[in-house]
Each structure stands twice: as C-alpha cells, then as structure tokens.
Amino acid sequence: MRDQKTSTAEVDPDVAASRLRYIRMYLQWLATEHLSRHGLAPSVASRLSETVRLVAEAIDSRIPHGSGRNALGQREGESDEVVAELLRVIDPHSPDNPWRDQHTRHRNALLIHWLLYLGIRIGEALGVRVSDIVAYRKEVTIHRRADDPDDPRRYQPQTKTRARILPMSGTLLAETQAYILNHRSALPYAKKHSYLFVASRTGHPMTLATVGKMFKELRERCPSLPKGLTGHVLRHTWNDAFSKKMDEAGVTPENERQARSYLMGWSPTSNTAAVYTRRYVRNKAKEVSLGLQDQLANKGKKDE
C-alpha cells in the first residue's frame, strides 16, 4: 500500500482556547446536573466533585498560551494614526483608493464606516436591510434573523449578539442615504431585495467572502495600512474609542459596562469587554506606570 500523508489543519490559538473552555464548562455543568438530580452518597459526590476539579485543571493547562494568560500578540484595536490613514485611503475621492468603479468605492467606504463608527460585526452589517433604518429617528435596528428564508446567500451572515437599536450620526445617515439613492439603486437586481450592502456587478446581497476580499485588497494595495487589518479589528478599535470617550465624560465603570454591553449586543452580565479593550487597557496601564515611576523618582530626589 502507498503511504498516505495526512495533513492536519492548524487551529488558531484563540479558537482552540474557546473550544477547550466550552468543553470544560459543559463537563462542569453535566456534573452539577448529575449531582443535583441523583441522591448520591456524600463520599461519591465528593469524589465526583474532585474529579471534575482535576479535569477542569487539566483542560485549563492545555489552553494555548496565545490566548488568555499571555496577552502578547493578541488582537487589539488600531491606533488613531492608523484610523486616520484608513479613512483617508478609503475616501471615494482619494487618489490612493484601491478600487476602480464608483459603486465599489462608495459601498466599501460606507461599510468600513459602519464597522468603525457603530462597532458592529461584519455579519450584522451584511444583515442590515434598508427598512431597518429609520431616518427621522436617526437609528438602525440590528436584528437577529437566523436561517432567513429571504436571504439567497449560501452562507448567511449571522448576528451572534443580541438585537438592539443603534443611533446613527447625521453624517453616517446622510452617507448611507446617498449610497442607496446614487449607487445601490443603479443595480437592477438590488431592487429585488432589501439588503443594504450589495455586490457591485450583480446587485445581489454582499457576501462574507466579498468582505474578506475587500480587506485583503486593502492590505495588499495600501502598504501604509497594517498587515493585520480586518473587519473585526475595527470592532476592537471602536471599543478603545468608546473607553476613551467614557473616560473623558467621567462615566462610572458600572454605567460604562452597561452602555457598552447594550451597544455591542452582549448580555448585561457579560465580561466580554476585556477582550475588546486590550489596547486601551495597555495604554492606560502604561500611563499609570510611568506616572508612578516619576512619582517614586521625585520622592527619591527629595529624600536625598
């Protein structure tokens, strides 16, 4: 028999870590259910609890270091300088804009503005319908439409978070309306459905693959932008900017957490914010650390 070489696809550390955590939580839940439903002898229940603890520790020890405890190399939001350069490049009138036709230029700029200004996921943006936007209220509803029979896309974009109503600035609303009237309406097939973002040539609903290609072209054709720029990084960037804004406004940590959870579509008790605010926390820690160093250094000078 001929030797067959098997190739194992490498799993991203963050994905592997997430899977292991879910396995651990499921086993803990299963054990808890078993303990609560069956009248086990105290000695048996104690052994089961101890076994669950050992298994949980074993799983935790196998969580990749690229996630969780090791913060180096984890995804962060972009700096203000990168955001300014991104906005300059994607301007439809910019000479450095990487796309040729006008629909693609205006659609891609609008999509990036939605991701950056609202902090929503790519799947949420692609699921927005024109009817979800209420112009006179300057707001858009992010719906959950799992397995939507009206969505013709093979891989339907999904809203992983809660449905919610988000405010839209006058500038973002005006840009959205201009895209709908001047560019989207020029594609005949776009009139057969209500999804906001559409394919440039066909007018069909824009796909996740097209968004991936859009960011790939940005990274390849615009060397001034980071190689790791993605749509999800813009969600991290929004969270950093939100933290700064709340800091400037003097909002209490609890009120900030509640406001962020609502706007992001998270549960009110979610601790997910820590994943999306790494750059802000790191910079804040740096600021405090340097201030502490200066304070201690000045104290040392006074004691001389």
Side-chain angles (χ1 to χ4, degrees), residues 178-202:
Y179 165 72
I180 295 171
L181 295 173
N182 302 329
H183 303 283
R184 185 184 182 280
S185 63
L187 299 168
Y189 192 87
K191 298 176 182 178
K192 297 184 179 181
H193 65 84
S194 60
Y195 290 100
L196 174 61
F197 295 101
V198 301
S200 292
R201 294 182 180 179
T202 64

Side-chain angles (χ1 to χ4, degrees), residues 40 73 125 130 202 292:
L40 301 177
V130 175
T202 64
L292 179 59

Side-chain angles (χ1 to χ4, degrees), residues 13-25:
D14 285 340
V15 175
S18 179
R19 290 175 180 174
L20 286 170
R21 291 192 187 100
Y22 277 117
I23 292 171
R24 181 198 63 201
M25 288 188 292

